[in-house]
Amino acid sequence: MYFGVNDILVLSQALWALTDGIHIKLFQPTRPKPVPRNNSSSIITAFDMGISDEEWERLQKAIDWPIPDQEITHLSQSTSPVHSTFSIVGLKESYKVGEKISVIITARDHNKNLKRYGGDFFKAKLFNAELKASVYGEVVDHRNGTYSVALLLPWEGQAQVFVRLEHSSEVVQILKKYRESSFPRSHYNGYFEGPGLNETKIFEVVECNLKWGADGSWRKGDCCCEYKDIKTGTVWQCERPKELSCDHLVHHSYGRLESPLNLFEQQLFTKSGMTTPVPAGFYLNDVWKSFVCNTRQFSPAQMANCLKNKIVYLMGDSTTRQWFEYLERNVPGIKRMDLHTRPTNGPLMAVELKNNIIIHWRPHGVPVRFSKMPITDLHYISNDIDEMAGGPHAVIVFTFFAHLVFHPITFYVYEVARIRQSVVALLRRAPETTVIIKSGNTAGLKNIFQSDWHMLQLDTVMREMFRDIDGVIFLDVWQMTSCHYLREHIHPGPVVIANEVNMFLSYVSPSCGLKKKKKSFLVRNISWKFFL
């Protein structure tokens, strides 16, 4: 396609606007509507989620995603990673550091036909494996089968453009369909223990799951024991044991996964406020250079000094446990206390007496896919925050994404609303408390159970719901994990974790501030690849 001078100028301005957090939407706003759960008569309203109609409308706009405008009856109609292409607009031999290049992606189906609608989930980045350098690119969906990416050129040397089709729009439609379904994709085990006859002990293992909505039971009839958290209102159900009573539930663990996909859907899968700047930073020599704050690289002694007289509460999942383990390995003199818990499940605690440092880690409450552990050790994040006094010595970090991808997004909104309420109350009584939300990270997973598309949707909800809360720091690791040159993994590698913790410490330390502009160098020889 040919662009005149004015056309290029307008396009460039639009892409620059995206880096300032301005999202250009090419669709008409829709009125907020209740969300019906498939296979269920239950209707989830904003009131059920504990938020206003206005906020629910805003959240629906934020996570809105186009779907095919026609019924898909043949696999060949889905987006093809082989026949889809991208090109660099106005490619030059060399560029100055700080310039941007514009990439246009054109989606085609397996018959090489141009797609007329959007909704494909693409990822894009610029990288140089030799320099261990990479930067994230946000893909803008124009809802007509074309997509654009503005990629910053932040280092001197060669660069390679990488574009990958994560999911076709047809697969995203399936993900959306089953996200709000009452079909339980993830099951959990409940372990009941109690006394039997003649001083014996009875052990029973049953399936458990979330109950969400008035008619949201995953089992029908008088099937289950119900456990309702008094403060959050969350209801957990376990099948009723044959011999023991409901009050004998002792342990919890992950259970089986169950796919709702029919044969055609399975084949499609195999085919194919708190605004963070884009990009938020870049890697160079395996070190994350942040555009948000003056990220430092901390030596072990500097880590100890930064955390002096601090109590750090890490909550969430195994990715915050990775932070705990990194600090345990690198802070001089810190020792893990024996809490008689499994090292992978927690809760965990480490102390360093010389500098008066205490670090806690605990997983969040059910639903959570951990190995067998006492169910009493699984606490809801909001409840734990309610029990904290806070203050200048307190640093609270939580993440709440990976284990929620199996459940309706309306339930996620409900839980985040509870956490937000607790955070607001904490900052009201102790405004000097440091509160950090660790964003979701990419994992490179592309199945009906766990998909980066699900994670991105939850991440968007969290950002939107906390964007107007003063005093909360959103630490964006989505870009840090998405753009690294190594293969994505649900548990990021040591290099990524080290950079995440350095970013965290940069916020704990008072040295954090805005970055200054860098001098210009030349970037030469840009090449490109397209990946499935």
Side-chain angles (χ1 to χ4, degrees), residues 17 24 54 62 125 150 190 215 247 250 349 355 401 403 422 494 513 530:
I24 300 172
E54 292 75 19
K125 65 183 177 183
D215 190 28
D247 58 355
V250 179
M349 178 180 176
N355 290 290
F401 300 96
H403 295 264
S422 297
F530 201 103

Side-chain angles (χ1 to χ4, degrees), residues 23 55 62 65 98 124 187 212 228 272 307 386 394 409 451 501:
H23 298 272
E55 182 170 20
W65 199 280
H187 294 268
W212 175 234
K228 183 176 182 179
S272 66
L307 295 173
D386 285 340
I409 202 165
S451 163
V501 173

Side-chain angles (χ1 to χ4, degrees), residues 319 322 438 441-442 481 488-497 500:
T319 60
Q322 286 182 280
K438 186 183 82 67
N441 61 266
T442 60
T481 54
E488 294 166 305
H489 194 277
I490 193 167
H491 295 118
V495 170
V496 177
I497 292 298
E500 289 179 1

Side-chain angles (χ1 to χ4, degrees), residues 223-235:
C223 63
C224 303
C225 301
E226 289 195 355
Y227 306 91
K228 183 176 182 179
D229 186 81
I230 297 174
K231 296 185 70 175
T232 67
T234 305
V235 179

Side-chain angles (χ1 to χ4, degrees), residues 343-360:
T344 55
N345 292 349
L348 306 176
M349 178 180 176
V351 299
E352 195 271 280
L353 297 178
K354 179 181 177 181
N355 290 290
N356 192 30
I357 301 169
I358 304 175
I359 303 176
H360 298 272

Side-chain angles (χ1 to χ4, degrees), residues 230-245:
I230 297 174
K231 296 185 70 175
T232 67
T234 305
V235 179
W236 191 248
Q237 288 185 322
C238 290
E239 291 176 324
R240 197 179 302 278
K242 293 180 180 179
E243 299 184 63
L244 296 171
S245 60

Side-chain angles (χ1 to χ4, degrees), residues 43-211:
I43 298 293
I44 305 298
T45 66
F47 179 80
D48 296 326
M49 291 179 274
I51 61 175
S52 66
D53 286 337
E54 292 75 19
E55 182 170 20
W56 180 225
E57 178 180 10
R58 177 164 59 86
L59 290 176
Q60 288 184 93
K61 288 180 182 178
I63 63 174
D64 178 76
W65 199 280
I67 60 175
D69 60 2
Q70 62 186 23
E71 183 181 2
I72 305 300
T73 56
H74 299 284
L75 296 176
S76 60
Q77 294 174 277
S78 63
T79 305
S80 167
V82 176
H83 300 306
S84 297
T85 59
F86 75 88
S87 60
I88 300 173
V89 179
L91 181 63
K92 301 184 295 186
E93 288 189 4
S94 63
Y95 297 79
K96 288 185 177 181
V97 168
E99 286 189 79
K100 291 190 177 184
I101 58 171
S102 177
V103 175
I104 300 297
I105 305 169
T106 303
R108 289 180 171 84
D109 65 22
H110 289 269
N111 292 324
K112 301 183 182 181
N113 297 316
L114 294 171
K115 300 293 289 289
R116 302 193 311 271
Y117 51 83
D120 296 306
F121 181 26
F122 287 100
K123 286 182 184 175
K125 65 183 177 183
L126 191 79
F127 76 101
N128 181 316
E130 291 184 2
L131 294 178
K132 298 182 177 180
S134 54
V135 66
Y136 172 86
E138 183 177 45
V139 179
V140 180
D141 187 348
H142 298 291
R143 302 190 173 218
N144 60 3
T146 66
Y147 307 78
S148 59
V149 188
L151 288 165
L152 179 71
L153 305 173
W155 64 81
E156 181 183 10
Q158 295 182 345
Q160 188 174 72
V161 175
F162 174 101
V163 175
R164 182 170 66 199
L165 176 64
E166 290 289 321
H167 290 305
S168 68
S169 55
E170 293 74 23
V171 168
V172 171
Q173 185 179 29
I174 297 171
L175 292 172
K176 292 178 69 174
K177 170 185 173 181
Y178 289 112
R179 179 178 64 189
E180 296 307 323
S181 170
S182 59
F183 188 98
R185 289 174 290 133
S186 174
H187 294 268
Y188 307 87
N189 294 330
Y191 299 79
F192 289 75
E193 299 178 11
L197 297 175
N198 301 321
E199 297 184 354
T200 61
K201 202 165 188 180
I202 298 174
F203 299 90
E204 295 188 71
V205 182
V206 302
E207 284 198 335
C208 304
N209 222 310
L210 173 71
K211 180 180 180 181

